[in-house]
Amino acid sequence: MNKRSRKIDVVIVGSIGLDDIETPFEKRTGLLGGSLSYACPSASFFAGSGMVGVVGDDFPEKYMSLYESFGIDLDGLKKADGKTFRWSGVYDKDMINRRTIFTELNVFGSFVPDLPDSYRSAPFIMLGNISPSLQLHVLSQATRPKFVAADTMDLWINTARKDLDRVVASVDMLTLNDSEARLLTGKHNLKQCTESIMKMGPRYVVIKKGEHGAMLACRTGLFLLPAYPVDAVLDPTGAGDSFAGAFMGRLAEIRKVSDRTIREALMYGSVVASFCVEGFSVDGLRRLKRNDIERRMTALRKMMG
Amino acid sequence: MNKRSRKIDVVIVGSIGLDDIETPFEKRTGLLGGSLSYACPSASFFAGSGMVGVVGDDFPEKYMSLYESFGIDLDGLKKADGKTFRWSGVYDKDMINRRTIFTELNVFGSFVPDLPDSYRSAPFIMLGNISPSLQLHVLSQATRPKFVAADTMDLWINTARKDLDRVVASVDMLTLNDSEARLLTGKHNLKQCTESIMKMGPRYVVIKKGEHGAMLACRTGLFLLPAYPVDAVLDPTGAGDSFAGAFMGRLAEIRKVSDRTIREALMYGSVVASFCVEGFSVDGLRRLKRNDIERRMTALRKMMG
C-alpha cells in the first residue's frame, strides 16, 4: 500500500514485544509479539490501521518491514533508547494454560501513547490492554471517534479501579476474559456479569473465553460466538489480540455500527484468530489472503447452523 | 397420558439414584437422580419414552408418581431387593467442578437391562452410561432401531475397551465429554478426536463441553452448539443427561434423521438442559411447558445469529 494513499480507519494502542515461547513441541526465541503485533496485522486485512506503541533500539529491522508488508501505518510507532519489551512463556500440553517465565517492561514501562495528528480523527479506536490512565490519555487526544473498544485485565481491576471505571464509562465496547469479568463485577454468572458491566457504560460487552469462543452482550440480547475449530494449534499466543484486531478492522470496513454488524465483525475476529494460532508469532497471518478468510467465514456460518 | 395409548418412541437405558448434593448455597439430600431421571423427563416433552433401569425397595413412591406425571412408560423399570443406587457430591463455588463424596452402586451393581417386548421395536434407543457389555446386551434385544446413541465415560475407556469398541462400531452417535474424547483417541485437538471416532463407526459424534456447549461432528462437517446461558445455576447435576434426553425426544418427534434434524434436536437439548440446571434434581423440568421450551428455542436461534 502506498504511504500517501493510506487512510487511518483504525487506531490501535498496545504493546510490542519480543517473545520467547515454548510449547510441548517446539521452542522459539526473539519472536515478534505484543498485542499490537497481532491486532494491527489482523485489522489490516480489512481497513487502514495505525499502531500506537513503542519499541527499543534493539528492535529488528526485519520486524519493521514485516509491519510494512501488512500495510500498517507506523507514524504512531515510537523508537525509544533502551530495550524492547520482552516476554517469555511456556505452554502446558493442553496448549491453553501457560506460565510466564519472565516479563521485562523495558521501554514499554515509561511509554506514553501520543497520537500523531493524522490519527486523531480516526473513526475506530481500540485501546489495547495498557493502564487505564494511559487509555484515558489516548481518548483525550481523539476527535469524536465513531466507536471505541477497550480491553483490560486483572492487574488494572485490582490496582487502578477508579481510572478503569472512567475508561469503562467512556467506551462503546469493553472486552475482557471470563475471570476478569467476574473480578470486575463480583458476580459469577457471565450473563449477570455482562448486565453489570453494561450498567457501567458500554453498549457492548465481549467476554472472551479462549478456545470456547466469546459472548457478546448488547441491549437487544446475547450473541454466542464459537471459536473457529482448527486442526492443530501451534502457538495460541495473540489469539485474543488477533480476534480483537480483525473485529475492529472489519467493523471499520463496514463503517456502520449496529448489533448486526458487530456480530458479523466478531465472526471475522474468530476466523482470523484461527489462522493466527496455526503458526508461531504472526506466521499464520503472513501469507493469508482475503479469500482464505472468506472461505472460513462461509465454513463458520455453516458450523453455526 | 393414558397407559394404553402410550407408544414407545424412545427407549433410554441408564441409572436411577438417590442423590445428596451440596452447592455453595444449599444442601439437599435424598433427591431423585441418576441419568434416567433426567433423560426420560426431558425426552417426554417431545415423544413417548420408556425407561430401562432399576430401583431398590427403598425407592420413594413419590418419585414413581413423578415419573408418571411426565408420562414416562415404566414397563422397563425393575424393582429389586436392596437399596437404590446412591451418589453424593459437592460443587465448587464455580458450580462446575464437583467432587464425589460417595458412590454406592447397591442394586445398580447387579443390574441387567432387559427390554420388555413393547420396547424392542422402538425406533430410537439411547444407551446411557453403563458398562459397554450391558450396552451390547440392550442392542442385542432391539429390532432394527432407526437410530441408536450411546454415552460413555473414562471408566469404560480404561477398563472395557474391547466391548466399548464394539459399542462404538454399532451405534449411529457417540456422545462423550472433551477429556473422554481425548482419552479414547489419544489426540488432543477435538476436531481430530471427532475424526478418529467417526472412523471407528458412528456417523455422528457429540463432544459435550458443559457450560461451553457441544460440538457435533458428522460427515458433512462440524456444528458448534452453545449452551443456553441462564441467569442462575442452582444445580448443574444432570445437565448432560437432560441435554441427551431432550435431543433423543425431539429427534423421535421429527422421526427423520438428517444432519439438519440432528442439529435442531441438539438445540432443543441445550434449551431443556438450561431449564434443568435452574432447579435441584428435576425441579426445573416439573412445571415446564412446551411453550417455555419454544420461547427459549427462539431466543437461542437469535443468540446464534
Side-chain angles (χ1 to χ4, degrees), chain B residues 229-303:
Chain B
V230 296
D231 280 322
V233 174
L234 247 71
D235 172 15
T237 313
D241 300 311
S242 189
F243 170 76
F247 161 75
M248 286 299 278
R250 174 59 183 159
L251 197 62
E253 183 180 50
I254 312 175
R255 299 195 78 78
K256 186 174 146 26
V257 178
S258 71
D259 294 359
R260 194 192 62 71
T261 59
I262 294 264
R263 284 171 178 223
E264 194 210 274
L266 287 171
M267 288 172 66
Y268 275 93
S270 179
V271 162
V272 175
S274 77
F275 286 106
C276 173
V277 302
E278 290 181 320
F280 272 86
S281 182
V282 296
D283 284 358
L285 306 176
R286 284 175 81 154
R287 270 168 299 275
L288 192 58
K289 295 274 175 297
R290 182 64 183 256
N291 268 353
D292 306 317
I293 295 172
E294 295 301 333
R295 259 195 298 276
R296 284 203 183 170
M297 266 299 282
T298 304
L300 181 59
R301 283 202 171 94
K302 209 173 146 231
M303 284 184 236

Side-chain angles (χ1 to χ4, degrees), chain A residues 51-303:
Chain A
M51 54 162 64
V52 179
V54 64
V55 297
D57 45 29
D58 60 346
F59 192 70
E61 192 50 46
K62 65 176 176 183
Y63 291 152
M64 225 46 132
S65 309
L66 185 52
Y67 285 152
E68 281 178 343
S69 74
F70 282 108
I72 300 164
D73 188 282
L74 302 176
D75 283 356
L77 180 60
K78 288 182 188 174
K79 200 153 193 165
D81 293 335
K83 287 168 72 184
T84 302
F85 174 71
R86 294 197 70 110
W87 176 77
S88 170
V90 177
Y91 285 91
D92 285 355
K93 73 171 171 7
D94 65 10
M95 289 293 263
I96 295 163
N97 293 304
R98 70 185 186 192
R99 101 196 115 85
T100 291
I101 303 300
F102 66 79
T103 303
E104 291 171 8
L105 289 180
N106 299 328
V107 297
F108 189 59
S110 53
F111 169 55
V112 177
D114 295 314
L115 303 192
D117 284 345
S118 56
Y119 287 22
R120 290 172 187 250
S121 56
F124 293 84
I125 297 179
M126 179 178 152
L127 302 170
N129 176 19
I130 53 173
S131 84
S133 65
L134 293 182
Q135 290 178 321
L136 291 169
H137 177 68
V138 172
L139 278 185
S140 72
Q141 302 165 67
T143 321
R144 298 167 38 88
K146 194 181 177 76
F147 186 86
V148 181
D151 193 36
T152 195
M153 72 187 292
D154 48 2
L155 176 67
W156 314 121
I157 299 171
N158 286 320
T159 65
R161 182 60 192 256
K162 212 170 145 186
D163 281 339
L164 178 60
D165 282 347
R166 289 178 59 205
V167 171
V168 175
S170 312
V171 300
D172 300 285
M173 174 184 279
L174 186 70
T175 65
L176 68 185
N177 72 32
D178 41 6
S179 65
E180 290 155 359
R182 289 174 175 135
L183 182 66
L184 181 64
T185 62
K187 296 194 158 67
H188 177 75
N189 181 281
L190 289 181
K191 191 167 164 241
Q192 292 182 0
C193 289
T194 61
E195 283 156 11
S196 295
I197 296 170
M198 283 195 285
K199 282 186 193 141
M200 297 166 70
R203 282 181 294 155
Y204 297 100
V205 179
V206 174
I207 311 271
K208 299 178 290 182
K209 301 193 291 174
E211 84 282 16
H212 300 300
M215 178 194 277
L216 165 76
C218 59
R219 290 196 188 124
T220 56
L222 298 175
F223 174 51
L224 305 169
L225 176 70
Y228 185 95
V230 296
D231 280 320
V233 174
L234 246 72
D235 172 15
T237 314
D241 301 310
S242 188
F243 170 76
F247 161 75
M248 288 298 278
R250 174 59 183 160
L251 196 63
E253 184 181 51
I254 312 175
R255 300 195 78 78
K256 185 172 148 29
V257 177
S258 72
D259 294 0
R260 195 191 62 71
T261 60
I262 295 263
R263 284 172 177 223
E264 193 209 275
L266 286 171
M267 288 172 66
Y268 275 94
S270 179
V271 162
V272 175
S274 76
F275 286 107
C276 173
V277 301
E278 291 181 319
F280 272 86
S281 182
V282 296
D283 284 358
L285 306 176
R286 286 174 82 155
R287 267 168 301 272
L288 192 58
K289 296 275 175 295
R290 182 64 182 256
N291 268 353
D292 305 318
I293 296 172
E294 295 302 335
R295 260 195 297 275
R296 283 203 183 169
M297 268 298 283
T298 304
L300 181 59
R301 282 200 172 94
K302 209 172 145 230
M303 284 184 236

